[in-house]
C-alpha cells in the first residue's frame, strides 16, 4: 500500500509498505480521505516525530474486522463508514474520570498505524473501542475528516465557556479560526471579529458569521479592536498563530473580566513574559486547550450532522496521495486555502 512519509519538512516521499496485520481485536480501514492539519505543518512539532507517515484526520471504510467487538458508540461491521481518532483514552484512570482525556497515558500512547495518509490504516483495539465513530448517512468521508479538527474547537470553547453575547476576537483565520467562528456563533457569541492578513481568509470569515474583520497587514490590531468595541476590547480572544508574540497580543486584546484562549502551542524555545498585574487587576484568565477527547469527537459529529460545520464550507483543495507534498506546502503557506485533504 502507498503511504506519504515525512523525513523532514521539505522531504515527503510516497513509499510502498505492506498492509498491517490485523490483530484479533483490531480493524483495518480502507482510507477514503484524510485532512492535512495546521499542526502537521509546524516544522519543529512534526520534525521531532520524523520519519513518520503524516496525517491524523482520516475517514474510510472498514474492510476487515478482527473481532465482533462493540465500540463505545455503536457496533461495527465490515463495510461501515467511519472516522477514527488517532488517540483514544482508557476511561478508567484519574484523568479520564474527570474528563481530562488528553492527559491519559493510554491516550498519549495510542496511535493509528501507520498514520493517516496511507491507503489502509490499522485501527488498534483501544482506538476502535474508545474513539471510532460511524458516519451517519448523508455525511461524506470529507465531512468525516473534519471531526477531529472540529472536536478540538468543541473542547477549546467548552473550556473557554462563552457567555451569551460575548464579544469574541479570533486571531488567525485559517480553517481552525473559521471553525472557531462557526462554533462561537452557534454557542451564543455576540459580536465576532476576525483578524488575519489574507483577504481570501477574511472574506471567508465574514461568510461564516464574523461581523467585522481587521486586516493586520494594514492596521494595528489593538487600536482597531478598541475602535470596533468602543474601548471595551474582547470578552474572549482565541489565539490561533503558534507564537508567544501572538499570545501576548491576545492578552492585549482581552477586556476586563475576559478570557484569552491559547488554541495552539508556541514555538518550543519561546517564553511568554507578561506583567501579572495586567491580568490580576482586570480579572483576565488565560485558558489553554490541547487536542480533544472522545466526548468532543461525538459532539463534533453532531455539529457536522447539523450542518454547522461542513466539508463544502471548509475544504478548498483536494489532492491524490501522490501530491501530498503539494497539499502540505499549500497548508504551510497559509494563503488562499482553508482545508486541504488527500482523497483516495
Ligand atoms: Zn488535526
Ligand atoms: Zn485514562
Amino acid at each position: 500500500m502507498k503511504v506519504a512519509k515525512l523525513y523532514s519538512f521539505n522531504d515527503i516521499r510516497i513509499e510502498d509498505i505492506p498492509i498491517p496485520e490485523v490483530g484479533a481485536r483490531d480493524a483495518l480501514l480502507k482510507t477514503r480521505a484524510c485532512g492535512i492539519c495546521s499542526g502537521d505543518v509546524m516544522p519543529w512539532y512534526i520534525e521531532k516525530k520524523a520519519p513518520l507517515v503524516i496525517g491524523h484526520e482520516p475517514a474510510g471504510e472498514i474492510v476487515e474486522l478482527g473481532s465482533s467487538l462493540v465500540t463505545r458508540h455503536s457496533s461495527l461491521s465490515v463495510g461501515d463508514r467511519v472516522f477514527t481518532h488517532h488517540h483514544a483514552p482508557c476511561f478508567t484512570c484519574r484523568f479520564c474520570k474527570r474528563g481530562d482525556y488528553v492527559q491519559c497515558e493510554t491516550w498519549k500512547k495510542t496511535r493509528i498505524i501507520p498514520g493517516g495518509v496511507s491507503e489502509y490504516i490499522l485501527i488498534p483495539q483501544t482506538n476502535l473501542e474508545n474513539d471510532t465513530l460511524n458516519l451517519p448517512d448523508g455525511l461524506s468521508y470529507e465531512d468525516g475528516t473534519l471531526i477531529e479538527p472540529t472536536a478540538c474547537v468543541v473542547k477549546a470553547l467548552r473550556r473557554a465557556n462563552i457567555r451569551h453575547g460575548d464579544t469574541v476576537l479570533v486571531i488567525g483565520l485559517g480553517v481552525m479560526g473559521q471553525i472557531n467562528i462557526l462554533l462561537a456563533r452557534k454557542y451564543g457569541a455576540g459580536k465576532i471579529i476576525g483578524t488575519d492578513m489574507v483577504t481570501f481568509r477574511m472574506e471567508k470569515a465574514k461568510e461564516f458569521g464574523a461581523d467585522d474583520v481587521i486586516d493586520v497587514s494594514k492596521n494595528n490590531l489593538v487600536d482597531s479592536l478598541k475602535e470596533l468595541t468602543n474601548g471595551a476590547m474582547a470578552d474572549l480572544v482565541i489565539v490561533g498563530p503558534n507564537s508567544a508574540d501572538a499570545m501576548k497580543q491576545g492578552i492585549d486584546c482581552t477586556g476586563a473580566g475576559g478570557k484569552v484562549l491559547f488554541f495552539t502551542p508556541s514555538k518550543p524555545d519561546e517564553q511568554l513574559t507578561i506583567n501579572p498585574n495586567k491580568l490580576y487587576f482586570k480579572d483576565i484568565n488565560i485558558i489553554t486547550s490541547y487536542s480533544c477527547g472522545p466526548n468532543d469527537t461525538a459532539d463534533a459529529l453532531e455539529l457536522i450532522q447539523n450542518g454547522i460545520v461542513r466539508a463544502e464550507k471548509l475544504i478548498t483543495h483536494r489532492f491524490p496521495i501522490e501530491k501530498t507534498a503539494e497539499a502540505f506546502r499549500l497548508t504551510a503557506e497559509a494563503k488562499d486555502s482553508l482545508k486541504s485533504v488527500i482523497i483516495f
Side-chain angles (χ1 to χ4, degrees), residues 112-314:
I112 51 171
I113 299 162
V117 184
S118 171
E119 288 180 317
Y120 291 89
I121 295 170
L122 180 78
I123 309 176
Q125 180 185 359
T126 309
N127 302 63
L128 188 66
E129 288 177 15
N130 294 348
D131 206 352
T132 295
L133 302 174
N134 277 89
L135 298 179
D137 291 343
L139 286 204
S140 65
Y141 290 118
E142 291 188 9
D143 289 321
T145 67
L146 295 175
I147 292 176
E148 192 267 352
T150 302
C152 293
V153 178
V154 167
K155 177 185 166 188
L157 293 187
R158 187 182 61 245
R159 286 168 70 86
N161 195 14
I162 296 186
R163 291 156 298 197
H164 194 81
D166 270 357
T167 295
V168 177
L169 173 72
V170 180
I171 302 181
L173 300 173
V175 69
M176 301 314 291
Q178 307 290 349
I179 299 175
N180 268 296
I181 289 174
L182 291 166
L183 297 204
R185 180 55 76 218
K186 153 95 180 146
Y187 295 151
K191 196 186 191 73
I192 300 179
I193 302 162
T195 171
D196 203 288
M197 307 202 278
V198 179
T199 308
F200 172 83
R201 294 181 165 202
M202 290 187 280
E203 276 167 9
K204 282 289 176 190
K206 282 195 142 168
E207 198 182 303
F208 297 149
D211 300 288
D212 286 294
V213 288
I214 299 168
D215 182 348
V216 285
S217 72
K218 297 189 186 116
N219 302 290
N220 174 285
L221 178 58
V222 172
D223 293 345
S224 306
L225 185 67
K226 217 174 260 171
E227 221 169 277
L228 283 171
T229 58
N230 297 319
M233 309 306 275
D235 302 309
L236 171 64
V237 178
I238 300 166
V239 183
N242 58 105
S243 76
D245 272 347
M247 291 170 176
K248 208 178 275 176
Q249 213 167 27
I251 294 168
D252 289 338
C253 290
T254 310
K259 295 167 230 174
V260 54
L261 170 66
F262 294 170
F263 191 78
T264 32
S266 70
K267 279 144 202 106
D269 303 325
E270 289 185 310
Q271 302 291 322
L272 178 63
T273 314
I274 43 178
N275 175 350
N277 287 358
K278 204 155 131 186
L279 301 179
Y280 185 84
F281 287 109
K282 281 166 104 186
D283 276 341
I284 289 174
N285 285 345
I286 294 179
I287 292 157
T288 61
S289 189
Y290 162 55
S291 196
C292 56
N295 52 334
D296 306 307
T297 53
D299 284 359
L301 177 63
E302 207 177 301
L303 287 160
I304 296 168
Q305 245 187 309
N306 295 340
I308 310 287
V309 173
R310 267 298 164 104
E312 63 254 30
K313 292 183 185 170
L314 298 168

Side-chain angles (χ1 to χ4, degrees), residues 99-114:
D100 290 331
Y101 299 112
V102 307
Q103 304 305 333
C104 163
E105 284 308 316
T106 301
W107 187 94
K108 290 182 200 174
K109 276 198 297 243
T110 43
R111 57 190 208 94
I112 51 171
I113 299 162

Side-chain angles (χ1 to χ4, degrees), residues 88-97 100-101 103-107:
C90 72
F91 284 122
T92 54
C93 73
R94 173 172 93 88
F95 292 117
C96 282
K97 283 196 176 131
D100 290 331
Y101 299 112
Q103 304 305 333
C104 163
E105 284 308 316
T106 301
W107 187 94

